[in-house]
Amino acid sequence: MLIPEVGRKKWRVRIILIGITAFLWLGVVLHLFPFYWAMAVSVTPPDDAYKLPPNFFPSHPDFLVYRTIFSHGFTLFMRSPLWVYVKNSFIMTGGIIAIQIPLMALVAYSLSKLISARWNRIVFLFFIGTMFVPGSLTIISRYLLLRYFPFISKGPAKFPTYNFLDSYWAVILPATFSGFSILLFKGFFDTIPNELLNAARLDGASEIGIFRRIVLPLSRPVFSVVCYFTFIGSWNNFLWPLIVLKKDRLMPLSLMIYNLQAKMETSFRPGEEGGISWYASNDALKMGYGYTALMAVAIIEAIPVFLMFIVFREEIMKGVRLRGFK
Amino acid sequence: MIRKLFKSVLIALSVASFFCSVPVIGQTPEELLAPTEERPILVNPEYWISGIRIFSYFGEGGDVARNLRDWIDCPKELYRSWQTASRNIAGLYAASLFERDNPKVKLVWYEYAGEAAGKEWSKVLMSALAAGEGPSAYDANVFGGVATAISKGLCGDITEYVKNWDQTKYLDMKFWAPAWKNGRCYAIPGQAMSYELSFFRKDWFEEAGIFAAEGIAGPPVDWTFDDFVNIGQKLTDPKKKRWAFGLPVDVIRTGWLQNFGGFMVKPDPTGKYTFRSGLDLPTTKEFLKFYRDLKFKYNIALTGTEETGTAAAYDFWGERTAMHIFEGTRHALLWGRIDRHMFGDKSWLDTVGIIPFPKGPTGLQIGTPKPWWRFITINPVISKERKDATWKFLNFILVGDGKKILAQDMAYALNDLPTNDIAPNPYHPRYLDDPNFASRSWKETIPGEQYREIFNYVESLPVNPIPDFFAMPIMEETALQEKHRILLSTLLTNPNADLDAEVDKVANMINKTVLNYKIEGQTWDNIKEWATSLKEFYEKNFPEQAKVFNEIYETSFAVWPKK
Amino acid sequence: MRKVLPLTVAKKDKFREGGVKFKRLSIWLFCIPGAVVTLIFGWYPMIWAMVIAFQKFMIIGPSKWIGLGNFSSILQDPILPIVIKNTFYYALLSIGLTFIIPILVAILLMEMSKKTVRIMMWLWFIPLSSMASIVILKWMYNVDYGLLNGILVSFGLPESGWLNDPRIAMLCLVLPGLIMFAPGLIYIATIQAIPKELYENAHLEGASVWQQIWHISLPRLRPVISMMLILAVISNLQIFSQPYIMTGGGPGTATTVFVMEIYSQAFNRYAFGRASALAIILFCIILTLIIIQRKFVKENLDE
């Protein structure tokens, strides 16, 4: 504590404390305000949404937009109903978490506990080395790799290749490697005292057994942290699905939001009528197409992130305390 | 304990909620679109509902014979359908007819996840081509111009097919030239452009009391840009959120630019490259200055970094601007016939008028050059069999029975007889020679005397007989447009920007990165032919402009070696 | 806690022999899946991408080798200095705003009552998905219909251009990044671990508030801060979605950042060799910064 208990009753200190509280609350309001605003906009009737000055408390909340979005009317805006996109986001994120976390945890564990100091540095660099490279460097190579797996080539090779593109794997597979996760895991595993493991080895346990029975229960916090960050990272993943996915029914929510707001501002070239068909535009406007719908969809996109935070907050705090940084 | 319960309930709920199927909340589209008292029927419900079903299952299609994005595969390949027909049954019918007559061929959908048409489509297509596959036929213009696509090897050589083609005599070589390189043909016209015109809000002009003639609201056909400014000032009312015009930042309106006598690129006086940026020509600078003044001096324009061409169109249809430029592929008024009720319950005919572009400072009012085309090309990496099948299908859908079916369908939507060409079609479809095919000229479909007069006037405007940059293609048009966007967005957002400095900066960028090529085998004859024809055109039709032009003619246009 | 058995020397030796065998096997077992994935999706694409930086990548057909041609054409491009400047400007702004504030908050939060701390720990760190925040903020910045101009107008102030104003466009872009404060939790946890007695002793010895912060809180936070700083620098130099979605490059070139230029070279001009070369340049810049930072941190720690 910077301000000790003794002096807290003094009025000067009190004012400072109140000031700090006010500052903190102001930060909270600013921080959460866009979210609240999006909710308010999404329930204003379409005609009022464009009026200024804005009213922070919509007088006639109209859930028309939500009805449109959740019903089949959503196909006015995008090609598939909303639940398809939500499902895709969950599948992709779930797949990434399911594959990446065990793999990276095992690697980190062996880096921290099993590999001797001689090799440790080299192996560590091997795993972490590619982390600092900008992702944009490898867009084309990863794309071609997925097309002609396991080769990067521009045309069919003599060996049989498999096309992973335009499927969930195209998004999940490249994300199975994450140096960041290895770092987090390793940082945590480093804090597990070796004596524990040696004792178990004395008892005759195998390494896998040790990992399963001793290390895993202890490392719930770090698993939560990594899960959380991986979830957030892949939930917001926008550029990579944009490049590899063609089918509309595979699009994740982030990509769908981008397309939705791009529909309103498509680059116009002579002869190209982009975006929503003219026949639909007028009706669509009446049904809440426009920024109200966009806000509603944005909220829907933000809710799972919010939920994950609620679920994992405690674990994150625990994981953070026990983790050491080098 | 309670926390754990809470957590598991949350997880279970979230899992369950997204597996629930449609519709979770809400009504079916029919219910949502059913006419109510507050909202009477806005469009023909039958057409609309059939449209939405097809819309939702097959993806949003273009319109009749628009950008052909499809796969044509020989046996053993996947089954897909022709995308552009997705919006009407006629296209599917035509496709199935073709398959019936060609049992070895299957027509296949090509879907893609992007809705931002054009912007994302080109990346998808390029990726597919890089991977050695891709549609059998596609629009070559998405790669920044057909010449760019040819130079990157993205277009298949179709000279053999074109040599013996009966349509070749109907196609004007001057407009076909960009698709040829070294005597080989790589693309055929896919889509014709209609006339460039401005739309305007007749009812707003009536309110403001601006009449061209007795009872006809709107600007006069021979209005100038000064008239444009005056009219714009009368129509602009920021309180009512009304502006005269939406200024896009991502395209330079060539229709306006040419009336100022400006050019986007000019031949390189030194001969080291083919082009230099034309932004620093005095006429182009005058146009840019006017463009900027619309926003900052006269305050009649709606613009911003997000104001793209389509956003400007939405501004017009969204009742925020009074005028808009329409550079359409279809007959300008066909849309109106179909969308009768774009502005509430008022008929399109009562609310929207058409007018050609204003005259430039020297009285220039040039017509739309004979419509330029977007080009269709055949994939270079597919087998000969597939190429043959593709060529056959293209003939079917652009010239043969397929075209007939689509024309009839369009007529059905219009509740009218089919038009014999959807202004102006580069081809001569076979049904035109069929005496039993009842049709009428597209001009007869124009409703209202006033519109017909305007069209006649537009058709009568003089046009340079040789298209700009004849046979000297501009490569990487997309990249060029990006740089222009930089310039326009600077000028339209920063009132204190120094126009000359900004223009020089962007022109320098363009010269160094986009236009730093010399076309192989560049002949001075092309430049000479074009520049001389341009000079004569000005001297014959617009002598005032000829004076202005002659000043820059020697330095910037007459740059062939003097013998 | 498991029982810790006493180790005798003999037992240790015997186990070590068998233990080594077990260890080796398990090392391989544990590492192989991860190593395979790293090789295939980490190193293979990276090396290939670095190779094509020296080629002229043809979409159809074999690529041509042109050595340093891509690099020279990039270095002559007038847009490169603009792009680098913009990227660093954004990184500075973003780190200045979104990095310092969580630290401040963490330090100040410790002064509050337990109840406040608990509430604040929830409210401050609620994450808003970045895609959603980008879209929402973009709409709030809208000149004609956005919230912010509406507020200004209702107070009688003139409207501002926000994203259309070249001077403040970059500032406006940084705001979505403020939404994610989650790293702040780490700072709080670290500070909570500092025993109270240190502060009390320092206060008794007459140290002012600032001195206490400087000598007690910050040194404990230093390793955490340096780690997060490296990560923040790396990710901020590579942002793409905020400027791409919100301004598409901004008025003029005000918000064109590095990765946007890579993207534009690759997908607007189809010059993949050049895009790879640009990415390599970015990599070198990042590497330099990391090395500098490491040296700097090491020196401090040795103080």
Side-chain angles (χ1 to χ4, degrees):
Chain A
M1 301 292 192
L2 293 172
I3 306 172
E5 300 281 350
V6 178
R8 283 196 172 229
K9 297 280 167 50
K10 289 199 208 145
W11 63 269
R12 221 175 108 237
V13 175
R14 268 241 165 104
I15 290 185
I16 294 180
L17 281 178
I18 293 178
I20 295 180
T21 318
F23 166 72
L24 288 175
W25 276 108
L26 181 68
V28 169
V29 166
L30 284 179
H31 177 86
L32 292 180
F33 179 70
F35 195 72
Y36 167 74
W37 175 244
M39 284 202 290
V41 167
S42 62
V43 294
T44 54
D47 296 324
D48 290 342
Y50 291 87
K51 285 207 190 115
L52 290 175
N55 44 347
F56 290 94
F57 303 100
S59 42
H60 318 285
D62 178 5
F63 287 90
L64 169 74
V65 165
Y66 285 102
R67 285 210 311 271
T68 312
I69 286 179
F70 282 116
S71 76
H72 210 78
F74 193 65
T75 48
L76 262 184
F77 311 149
M78 309 298 298
R79 288 185 215 172
S80 315
L82 184 65
W83 64 271
V84 167
Y85 300 113
V86 176
K87 177 187 78 157
N88 289 337
S89 275
F90 272 110
I91 290 181
M92 284 175 196
T93 313
I96 291 179
I97 290 183
I99 299 186
Q100 182 199 84
I101 295 205
L103 280 178
M104 297 296 121
L106 287 176
V107 164
Y109 176 70
S110 49
L111 264 179
S112 117
K113 295 291 171 215
L114 300 179
I115 298 183
S116 57
R118 224 176 7 132
W119 292 104
N120 207 331
R121 184 153 260 196
I122 300 178
V123 178
F124 188 60
L125 272 179
F126 171 74
F127 282 110
I128 304 290
T130 50
M131 200 177 104
F132 301 110
V133 164
S136 34
L137 181 67
T138 50
I139 286 182
I140 300 297
S141 22
R142 275 181 290 160
Y143 181 89
L144 289 179
L145 176 66
L146 287 172
R147 175 64 186 86
Y148 288 112
F149 194 81
F151 304 105
I152 299 180
S153 67
K154 279 182 290 189
K158 300 173 207 90
F159 298 97
T161 59
Y162 190 77
N163 181 5
F164 276 112
L165 281 184
D166 214 7
S167 68
Y168 291 121
W169 290 111
V171 176
I172 294 178
L173 278 183
T176 52
F177 162 71
S178 159
F180 183 61
S181 306
I182 295 183
L183 275 177
L184 285 177
F185 275 125
K186 179 163 185 298
F188 181 78
F189 290 145
D190 279 343
T191 64
I192 297 184
N194 280 334
E195 292 78 29
L196 269 178
L197 306 176
N198 281 335
R201 284 188 198 124
L202 272 184
D203 285 346
S206 66
E207 292 298 331
I208 303 183
I210 294 180
F211 188 70
R212 206 157 53 90
R213 290 202 205 95
I214 302 183
V215 178
L216 275 189
L218 279 181
S219 37
R220 257 182 75 144
V222 73
F223 271 89
S224 310
V225 172
V226 176
C227 265
Y228 176 71
F229 281 118
T230 313
F231 182 90
I232 302 243
S234 66
W235 187 258
N236 289 325
N237 205 2
F238 142 75
L239 184 57
W240 185 244
L242 179 68
I243 294 176
V244 292
L245 292 179
K246 288 200 292 269
K247 291 203 194 71
D248 183 75
R249 59 180 170 84
L250 296 174
M251 281 210 288
L253 210 45
S254 46
L255 188 53
M256 190 272 283
I257 286 191
Y258 169 70
N259 280 331
L260 190 58
Q261 66 94 34
K263 249 177 158 28
M264 303 182 197
E265 297 149 11
T266 325
S267 176
F268 181 77
R269 291 195 190 89
E272 193 104 23
E273 301 101 32
I276 198 170
S277 77
W278 291 109
Y279 305 94
S281 57
N282 207 26
D283 255 347
L285 277 169
K286 296 266 186 287
M287 287 171 72
Y289 178 65
Y291 286 103
T292 42
L294 196 57
M295 294 296 114
V297 176
I299 289 178
I300 294 175
E301 207 240 350
I303 285 181
V305 172
F306 181 64
L307 285 177
M308 283 308 250
F309 176 73
I310 294 180
V311 165
F312 281 115
R313 197 194 64 92
E314 269 185 36
E315 314 282 354
I316 297 176
M317 289 297 300
K318 270 196 239 150
V320 152
R321 270 197 217 115
L322 294 173
R323 169 167 54 155
F325 274 98
K326 290 196 71 186
Chain B
M1 185 58 209
I2 297 187
R3 278 247 148 125
K4 279 202 180 135
L5 195 60
F6 176 58
K7 261 194 255 179
S8 41
V9 165
L10 258 181
I11 295 177
L13 262 183
S14 35
V15 163
S17 66
F18 75 82
F19 277 127
C20 285
S21 53
V22 159
V24 174
I25 310 168
Q27 307 144 293
T28 61
E30 285 83 356
E31 288 171 49
L32 281 167
L33 297 172
T36 62
E37 273 182 22
E38 302 95 45
R39 194 200 58 200
I41 295 180
L42 295 181
V43 290
N44 181 354
E46 269 174 23
Y47 190 81
W48 171 248
I49 288 185
S50 73
I52 201 175
R53 282 210 193 95
I54 297 177
F55 182 94
S56 60
Y57 291 122
F58 297 125
E60 175 178 292
D63 202 50
V64 171
R66 207 161 68 96
N67 298 326
L68 219 55
R69 306 166 187 176
D70 55 356
W71 296 61
I72 305 177
D73 282 328
C74 280
K76 290 192 295 173
E77 299 281 9
L78 296 168
Y79 188 90
R80 300 168 229 189
S81 330
W82 181 43
Q83 191 215 16
T84 62
S86 67
R87 232 217 337 248
N88 50 32
I89 313 262
L92 294 173
Y93 173 56
S96 52
L97 262 190
F98 183 75
E99 285 183 346
R100 181 200 68 181
D101 295 335
N102 296 279
K104 271 191 169 179
V105 178
K106 292 230 178 297
L107 290 176
V108 165
W109 281 118
Y110 190 81
E111 293 178 52
Y112 75 103
E115 284 296 341
K119 213 168 159 190
E120 312 300 334
W121 165 245
S122 58
K123 295 183 193 72
V124 171
L125 182 55
M126 180 276 308
S127 317
L129 287 172
E133 43 188 39
S136 304
Y138 47 85
D139 181 345
N141 282 73
V142 297
F143 294 114
V146 64
T148 317
I150 295 175
S151 76
K152 291 197 189 300
L154 299 172
C155 298
D157 189 341
I158 52 174
T159 325
E160 303 303 322
Y161 301 116
V162 161
K163 264 200 267 206
N164 310 319
W165 201 22
D166 59 340
Q167 293 289 321
T168 311
K169 60 179 177 289
Y170 296 107
L171 299 176
D172 192 343
M173 193 54 202
K174 291 203 211 83
F175 295 94
W176 204 359
W180 289 76
K181 186 174 173 180
N182 296 335
R184 315 283 306 172
C185 178
Y186 292 91
I188 57 173
Q191 190 181 34
M193 286 272 292
S194 181
Y195 297 100
E196 285 191 351
L197 294 167
S198 278
F199 280 3
F200 64 91
R201 287 294 302 264
K202 269 202 243 183
D203 45 354
W204 290 8
F205 273 71
E206 265 185 57
E207 275 177 37
I210 306 172
F211 290 89
E214 187 74 38
I216 301 182
V221 282
D222 53 355
W223 57 330
T224 65
F225 277 107
D226 291 327
D227 294 333
F228 179 85
V229 170
N230 290 333
I231 291 174
Q233 281 171 325
K234 286 195 202 138
L235 290 170
T236 302
D237 186 1
K239 287 201 194 51
K240 283 202 224 167
K241 293 273 179 218
R242 276 190 191 181
W243 283 269
F245 204 76
L247 289 182
V249 296
D250 66 337
V251 281
I252 290 187
R253 292 290 189 196
T254 43
W256 283 12
L257 182 65
Q258 70 180 3
N259 280 358
F260 271 86
F263 298 89
M264 286 201 296
V265 299
K266 60 183 186 197
D268 181 14
T270 64
K272 187 165 167 217
Y273 303 102
T274 303
F275 289 120
R276 296 283 84 184
S277 174
L279 291 174
D280 45 9
L281 286 172
T283 42
T284 314
K285 274 198 192 169
E286 204 181 334
F287 162 75
L288 289 170
K289 187 162 177 303
F290 176 76
Y291 208 69
R292 206 234 310 237
D293 286 343
L294 280 180
K295 161 84 179 163
F296 287 117
K297 189 163 154 198
Y298 308 119
N299 238 319
I300 58 176
L302 181 59
T303 185
T305 49
E306 298 158 8
E307 190 78 7
T308 58
T310 308
Y314 273 118
D315 284 334
F316 181 71
W317 298 118
E319 308 200 50
R320 289 187 283 279
T321 52
M323 295 182 273
H324 174 57
I325 288 185
F326 170 59
E327 297 169 292
T329 58
R330 289 172 289 183
H331 181 300
L333 291 176
L334 278 181
W335 278 5
R337 294 286 296 274
I338 296 171
D339 282 324
R340 269 170 212 288
H341 307 281
M342 282 307 280
F343 298 109
D345 296 329
K346 291 188 263 191
S347 157
W348 195 97
L349 294 170
D350 291 330
T351 45
V352 179
I354 54 176
I355 195 82
F357 298 139
K359 283 191 186 170
T362 54
L364 266 184
Q365 203 178 23
I366 306 182
T368 314
K370 257 288 170 37
W372 61 272
W373 308 322
R374 294 180 74 85
F375 290 94
I376 297 181
T377 183
I378 298 187
N379 192 329
V381 299
I382 55 180
S383 63
K384 174 115 186 19
E385 254 187 332
R386 279 175 63 174
K387 278 192 189 162
D388 288 342
T390 312
W391 179 255
K392 211 165 168 194
F393 178 73
L394 285 177
N395 260 293
F396 173 78
I397 208 70
L398 295 171
V399 171
D401 288 339
K403 174 82 177 159
K404 179 168 155 190
I405 293 171
L406 296 175
Q408 282 173 317
D409 177 71
M410 174 67 92
Y412 171 76
L414 295 175
N415 207 15
D416 204 331
L417 289 176
T419 55
N420 58 7
D421 49 16
I422 304 192
N425 189 339
Y427 300 108
H428 184 85
R430 296 211 186 92
Y431 62 77
L432 288 181
D433 301 328
D434 181 354
N436 295 326
F437 189 82
S439 68
R440 43 189 206 146
S441 157
W442 66 274
K443 284 208 192 140
E444 295 179 57
T445 67
I446 303 176
E449 182 72 31
Q450 190 227 340
Y451 295 106
R452 242 173 278 151
E453 280 180 8
I454 304 254
F455 261 103
N456 288 336
Y457 179 81
V458 167
E459 276 195 312
S460 73
L461 289 174
V463 179
N464 183 8
I466 299 195
D468 285 354
F469 322 121
F470 165 52
M472 294 187 302
I474 302 182
M475 308 287 227
E476 303 203 55
E477 284 173 21
T478 334
L480 189 64
Q481 265 183 347
E482 277 295 315
K483 302 295 183 203
H484 287 161
R485 182 196 176 120
I486 293 177
L487 178 64
L488 286 179
S489 62
T490 311
L491 289 181
L492 290 177
T493 55
N494 187 355
N496 303 321
D498 179 2
L499 188 101
D500 294 313
E502 292 294 329
V503 164
D504 285 336
K505 190 174 97 180
V506 174
N508 184 34
M509 248 192 260
I510 293 178
N511 287 338
K512 279 225 172 98
T513 56
V514 180
L515 292 178
N516 60 347
Y517 59 88
K518 185 160 178 175
I519 296 177
E520 284 171 37
Q522 172 169 318
T523 59
W524 295 113
D525 292 331
N526 290 332
I527 302 183
K528 187 173 180 180
E529 195 175 342
W530 167 50
T532 340
S533 137
L534 192 60
K535 183 164 190 250
E536 286 167 7
F537 170 72
Y538 281 137
E539 277 166 2
K540 179 163 145 217
N541 297 297
F542 303 103
E544 255 195 74
Q545 179 65 17
K547 283 192 219 130
V548 173
F549 181 68
N550 284 336
E551 278 175 30
I552 50 178
Y553 177 72
E554 292 297 328
T555 51
S556 298
F557 287 87
V559 294
W560 51 87
K562 311 263 190 275
K563 292 213 180 72
Chain C
M1 276 297 283
R2 307 256 161 176
K3 246 181 7 166
V4 177
L5 293 175
L7 298 170
T8 63
V9 175
K11 268 193 175 171
K12 219 172 167 183
D13 277 337
K14 185 172 96 174
F15 193 81
R16 189 166 278 159
E17 283 175 36
V20 165
K21 245 195 283 182
F22 274 133
K23 260 197 176 174
R24 283 241 177 86
L25 188 61
S26 37
I27 293 176
W28 284 115
L29 265 177
F30 283 18
C31 274
I32 280 186
V36 162
V37 162
T38 311
L39 254 181
I40 295 184
F41 291 106
W43 289 99
Y44 185 22
M46 182 174 107
I47 296 181
W48 192 90
M50 292 197 165
V51 161
I52 68 166
F54 299 96
Q55 295 178 337
K56 187 175 154 101
F57 186 78
M58 303 295 285
I59 300 178
I60 292 185
S63 314
K64 278 192 289 187
W65 280 94
I66 53 172
L68 290 174
N70 284 327
F71 288 95
S72 68
S73 79
I74 291 174
L75 291 172
Q76 285 172 15
D77 191 342
I79 210 175
L80 186 70
I82 299 177
V83 156
I84 291 184
K85 184 183 75 140
N86 283 343
T87 314
F88 273 97
Y89 184 39
Y90 178 88
L92 267 168
L93 276 180
S94 174
I95 291 182
L97 291 177
T98 70
F99 199 71
I100 307 231
I101 291 187
I103 302 179
L104 257 182
V105 167
I107 294 180
L108 291 176
L109 202 52
M110 289 301 103
E111 308 310 311
M112 302 289 108
S113 63
K114 273 234 157 26
K115 200 175 82 170
T116 321
V117 168
R118 227 165 355 125
I119 299 178
M120 284 298 169
M121 283 221 297
W122 274 90
L123 290 178
W124 259 92
F125 302 110
I126 291 182
L128 191 60
S129 141
S130 67
M131 276 299 291
S133 72
I134 290 174
V135 160
I136 295 175
L137 276 171
K138 184 176 177 189
W139 178 228
M140 278 170 65
Y141 283 134
N142 191 313
V143 174
D144 303 310
Y145 302 105
L147 171 67
L148 296 175
N149 268 346
I151 297 179
L152 285 179
V153 161
S154 52
F155 281 128
L157 296 169
E159 286 185 352
S160 165
W162 300 109
L163 287 175
N164 286 335
D165 188 344
R167 291 161 295 172
I168 58 177
M170 196 59 102
L171 275 171
C172 299
L173 273 189
V174 179
L175 283 186
L178 283 175
I179 306 295
M180 293 277 284
F181 279 143
L185 285 175
I186 304 175
Y187 303 131
I188 289 191
T190 322
I191 292 189
Q192 274 184 340
I194 303 177
K196 271 199 220 167
E197 295 82 34
L198 284 177
Y199 286 110
E200 286 173 5
N201 288 342
H203 186 80
L204 284 175
E205 285 174 31
S208 75
V209 173
W210 292 114
Q211 283 177 323
Q212 287 178 45
I213 295 179
W214 190 253
H215 289 287
I216 303 180
S217 317
L218 283 186
R220 290 297 174 101
L221 283 176
R222 182 163 280 144
V224 183
I225 291 184
S226 73
M227 174 74 160
M228 299 301 293
L229 194 61
I230 293 183
L231 291 174
V233 160
I234 294 179
S235 62
N236 275 326
L237 285 178
Q238 294 182 51
I239 41 129
F240 173 73
S241 30
Q242 279 101 311
Y244 186 68
I245 296 178
M246 286 182 103
T247 61
T253 48
T255 56
T256 316
V257 285
F258 212 100
V259 179
M260 274 185 70
E261 183 61 21
I262 296 180
Y263 186 76
S264 153
Q265 289 282 353
F267 294 104
N268 283 344
R269 306 194 58 191
Y270 308 109
F272 293 107
R274 228 177 297 152
S276 277
L278 265 175
I280 289 185
I281 294 181
L282 181 64
F283 173 49
C284 293
I285 295 179
I286 293 181
L287 208 56
T288 322
L289 283 176
I290 292 179
I291 294 178
I292 294 179
Q293 191 171 21
R294 281 246 130 146
K295 282 229 170 109
F296 185 66
V297 167
K298 269 219 177 92
E299 281 173 12
N300 276 349
L301 279 179
D302 291 338
E303 268 176 4

